[in-house]
Amino acid sequence: MNLDILKQATKNELPTSRWEHTLRVLDTAIDLIQDRQIDLLSIQVAAVLHDFCKFWPDEELKKWISKYELPRELLHYHKEIWHAPVGAEVARIKWGITDEAILNAIRYHTTGRPEMTEIEKIIFVADYIEPGRKFPDVEEVRKTAETHLDGAVAQSLRNTISFLESRNQMVYPLTLQAYGYYKHCLG
């Protein structure tokens, strides 16, 4: 995996503002590693590729969901979550990435899931708290992420669910399951 090639390919797929977001997610993810025994290159690859498909046309995302037998239920939820599972398939097929830790970090960066790996949690939280994010309660999550990654995951999930519900949007079931799991873990 050549990180420079992946960076250039991702940059070519995204508008400037989303590419800048990607670079901030990359920096934030590296900061979140702290003393964890995590492979730096895995974090970097997942961060760089996490939004690779974000601006693909809806029809293209739907084709990938169908062709690669991704959960069809995705299509019943907001299209904002489609790019993550498709992005994992693109990473596997186009870039030959076989490391499930990287693929799952890309796959679940929008929805979360119960029992995420450290890499998954880092990409999930980094995407949520990168410095360009300016929505309510993000500062609280940033502060928590400094010392308690699981707590930051739970707060991010809770805030996302509240946001979607305030807009009368359906919440993807995996997000609800993830929140239940991390809320329970925190006691």
Side-chain angles (χ1 to χ4, degrees):
M1 291 178 286
N2 184 313
L3 191 60
D4 290 331
I5 291 172
L6 296 178
K7 281 183 172 180
Q8 188 59 53
T10 302
K11 183 178 181 180
N12 293 343
E13 289 288 328
L14 300 175
T16 302
S17 61
R18 184 51 59 159
W19 171 240
E20 290 168 355
H21 158 79
T22 298
L23 293 175
R24 290 189 302 267
V25 170
L26 175 60
D27 290 342
T28 302
I30 291 168
D31 289 344
L32 289 173
I33 291 175
Q34 297 171 358
D35 296 326
R36 294 176 174 86
Q37 298 299 313
I38 295 176
D39 179 61
L40 177 61
L41 183 58
S42 295
I43 289 287
Q44 292 172 312
V45 169
V48 166
L49 293 178
H50 85 279
D51 274 349
F52 189 88
C53 305
K54 177 84 172 169
F55 289 90
W56 284 15
D58 293 353
E59 289 307 312
E60 185 66 16
L61 292 169
K62 287 178 183 178
K63 281 185 212 172
W64 277 75
I65 288 168
S66 178
K67 183 175 181 177
Y68 294 100
E69 300 179 4
L70 300 174
R72 303 246 346 129
E73 68 188 28
L74 285 165
L75 300 175
H76 300 294
Y77 295 87
H78 200 281
K79 64 183 182 177
E80 285 294 313
I81 65 171
W82 300 352
H83 73 281
V86 171
E89 290 305 307
V90 170
R92 185 174 60 80
I93 293 162
K94 181 176 177 78
W95 303 110
I97 296 170
T98 58
D99 184 332
E100 282 299 315
I102 295 170
L103 296 174
N104 283 337
I106 297 167
R107 184 176 290 120
Y108 299 113
H109 84 270
T110 58
T111 61
R113 71 173 179 144
E115 300 183 70
M116 287 190 280
T117 65
E118 291 293 295
I119 292 174
E120 290 173 66
K121 289 186 280 190
I122 287 170
I123 298 301
F124 180 83
V125 171
D127 184 46
Y128 191 88
I129 68 168
E130 62 90 348
R133 302 290 200 185
K134 305 290 184 206
F135 44 80
D137 299 321
V138 71
E139 281 303 322
E140 177 187 353
V141 180
R142 285 184 182 124
K143 187 86 172 141
T144 301
E146 292 174 8
T147 57
H148 198 279
L149 190 59
D150 285 356
V153 169
Q155 288 175 315
S156 302
L157 290 162
R158 181 192 66 220
N159 294 349
T160 298
I161 291 166
S162 294
F163 173 79
L164 293 171
E165 288 176 342
S166 75
R167 297 209 170 357
N168 289 321
Q169 294 181 3
M170 293 191 327
V171 180
Y172 193 61
L174 202 55
T175 302
L176 294 169
Q177 292 167 15
Y179 178 58
Y181 175 83
Y182 285 97
K183 185 178 174 185
H184 178 75
C185 286
L186 297 175

